[in-house]
Amino acid sequence: MKTYCALFGAVSLAVASHAFMVGSPLTGVSKAPASSSTVRMAVALPPLPFEDTALEPLISKRTLDIHHGKHHAKYVTVTNEMIKGTDLENASLEEIVKAAKGKNQGLFNNAAQVWNHNFYWNCIKANGGGKPTGKVAALIDRDLGGFEAFRKQFAADSNGNFGSGWTWLAMDGDKLKIVKTSNADLPLTQGMTPLLVIDVWEHAYYLDVQNVRAQYVDNFLDKLVNWDFVNANLA
Amino acid sequence: MAIELPPLPWDKNALAPHISAETIDYHYGKHHAAYVTKLNGMIKDDPAYTGKSVKEIMLAAPAGGLFNNAAQVWNHTFYWNSMAPNAGGAPSGPIADKINAAFGSFDNFKSQFSTAAAGHFGSGWAWLVLKDGKLEVVSTHDASNPLKEGLGTPLLTCDVWEHAYYVDYRNARPAYVEAWWSLVNWEWANARLAEA
């Protein structure tokens, strides 16, 4: 008997045809009880892992309400519309993303954006940022030349990511790397393990800092990064 | 000689309420201006590009930062001119006939252009172009444009980078695209058509 667990959400959906257990121990992932019924499984919009005022004034409630409640929610709605009646309709989000890549650009765009945003909300928290400890700190020292060098490169690759996209910290095999992607692309489909992401689509920061992406990037690195989540992704 | 930020063809309040003065302050005063500054910084010591026009630099530059900045300078100038106060609505002049010939009706053209503009995923631009004597709707990504891609002669453009509409419309890009139709500058389009 298999169960589906919403990515990074505390919500668990009833029995479906696939099992997949991904998620941070921090947000909690619960398994639905086994059952012989099959309930059609849709991709779900996870709730934010923090209060919508928690990141003020760096990321405003106003931004979160629109970013989560409109952008992210719309990607979920469209993904569900697109998989309905297809052989992906009970697939996990990750399966949908991987199946759509290179085959169905519209589905990929929406499903990947659901995945990316699910991941992003867990990458930020109030009173975060600064220097990490634990496994990721050691990897940063070993592979990226230490924290200062990492911070400089990550900021440059976030500010210099032209157009809409995402800048990631990811494991490529056993090597820690900073990776830029455009539009909905994600390192997951390149065989890498994502650890941290910053959303650099303009909608992520425009209401708060307008054109000054660099301020948003500094705020992210200095005051928001959830290093606990990053280390959990390395576990 | 440095590239200059061209003045806006109208007062910054002129496109309200469709596009606010606040948006113009950021879009022109910060984004467009920054592309000019960055472009000048990149070409000042490069004899291959100093003294060249924005269009020349844009067409010659390989993919990358220099192209991005040059093209975005050019694209934004074209965009400001694609809109005007006391404009919008159905076309008149030679372009009206060409629109009917290519799309069947203005409404069909409007629908196609709006779909291209609203539906473009990520940052980019929607264009009306003249290609081999016929009008077409195309969209381009990030800084790219029809001149660079050989898609035809640009006649009109609508900027669909989020910074173009976020202050006024938030995530509602279709509402911004609808507002653009109240601003579309057919005089500019007819002038571009005449010299094509």
Side-chain angles (χ1 to χ4, degrees), chain A residues 66 71 164 183 202-203 206, chain B residues 31 123 141 162-163 166 171:
Chain A
I66 298 171
H71 291 273
S164 304
N183 312 319
E202 287 174 325
H203 64 242
Y206 214 80
Chain B
H31 291 273
S123 305
H141 201 60
E162 287 176 323
H163 64 242
Y166 221 78
N171 60 300

Side-chain angles (χ1 to χ4, degrees), chain B:
Chain B
M1 208 191 83
I3 300 293
E4 286 182 5
L5 178 68
L8 286 168
W10 22 256
D11 179 83
K12 70 174 184 178
N13 296 291
L15 305 187
H18 310 292
I19 295 179
S20 66
E22 187 187 355
T23 288
I24 302 298
D25 279 342
Y26 287 117
H27 201 174
Y28 173 77
K30 304 285 182 185
H31 291 273
H32 194 182
Y35 289 128
V36 172
T37 302
K38 286 210 197 103
L39 176 60
N40 282 327
M42 289 174 137
I43 63 171
K44 70 176 163 50
D45 297 320
D46 191 339
Y49 296 110
T50 45
K52 296 275 196 299
S53 69
V54 175
K55 186 173 171 181
E56 286 169 329
I57 299 168
M58 168 183 104
L59 292 174
L66 179 60
F67 169 75
N68 286 343
N69 285 289
Q72 285 293 80
V73 172
W74 193 92
N75 294 340
H76 281 90
T77 302
F78 202 87
Y79 172 62
W80 306 131
N81 286 285
S82 293
M83 302 182 294
N86 309 311
S92 54
I95 200 153
D97 297 327
K98 290 199 87 73
I99 282 175
N100 289 331
F103 301 97
S105 67
F106 171 62
D107 280 343
N108 272 353
F109 159 65
K110 184 177 173 186
S111 175
Q112 244 188 272
F113 188 96
S114 296
T115 298
H120 186 83
F121 187 75
S123 305
W125 304 79
W127 306 83
L128 177 63
V129 300
L130 182 74
K131 173 78 173 166
D132 301 327
K134 254 195 77 175
L135 294 188
E136 287 179 12
V137 169
V138 300
S139 65
T140 59
H141 201 60
D142 290 346
S144 196
N145 61 42
L147 289 178
K148 190 70 173 176
E149 293 185 31
L151 298 175
T153 303
L155 305 177
L156 288 169
T157 194
C158 180
D159 186 352
V160 295
W161 282 64
E162 287 176 323
H163 64 242
Y165 58 90
Y166 221 78
V167 168
D168 296 326
Y169 298 94
R170 308 289 191 250
N171 60 300
R173 195 196 290 181
Y176 156 71
V177 173
E178 185 54 40
W180 184 86
W181 291 105
S182 296
L183 299 170
V184 58
N185 185 359
W186 295 114
E187 260 185 53
W188 172 260
N190 273 314
R192 303 288 67 75
L193 185 62
E195 73 186 15

Side-chain angles (χ1 to χ4, degrees), chain A residues 130-170:
Chain A
K131 292 182 82 165
T133 53
K135 238 178 173 173
V136 71
L139 286 170
I140 284 172
D141 287 342
R142 190 194 74 186
D143 294 342
L144 298 179
F147 180 73
E148 289 309 322
F150 151 73
R151 196 201 175 288
K152 192 169 174 207
Q153 191 61 51
F154 193 92
D157 284 346
S158 297
N159 290 318
N161 194 338
F162 188 74
S164 304
W166 305 78
T167 298
W168 308 77
L169 199 50

Side-chain angles (χ1 to χ4, degrees), chain A residues 71-155:
Chain A
H71 291 273
H72 189 180
K74 179 102 188 279
Y75 291 129
V76 171
T77 299
V78 176
T79 298
N80 284 324
E81 278 165 10
M82 293 186 86
I83 60 175
K84 190 170 173 169
T86 75
D87 59 3
L88 289 174
E89 85 179 320
N90 295 316
S92 70
L93 181 61
E94 186 169 326
E95 287 168 339
I96 298 166
V97 170
K98 287 178 171 174
K101 172 95 182 150
K103 300 215 178 72
N104 183 336
Q105 190 63 49
L107 178 58
F108 174 79
N109 285 343
N110 284 279
Q113 285 292 81
V114 176
W115 199 101
N116 295 337
H117 284 91
N118 288 0
F119 199 82
Y120 172 64
W121 301 128
N122 288 282
C123 290
I124 50 181
K125 64 169 197 172
N127 307 307
K131 292 182 82 165
T133 53
K135 238 178 173 173
V136 71
L139 286 170
I140 284 172
D141 287 342
R142 190 194 74 186
D143 294 342
L144 298 179
F147 180 73
E148 289 309 322
F150 151 73
R151 196 201 175 288
K152 192 169 174 207
Q153 191 61 51
F154 193 92

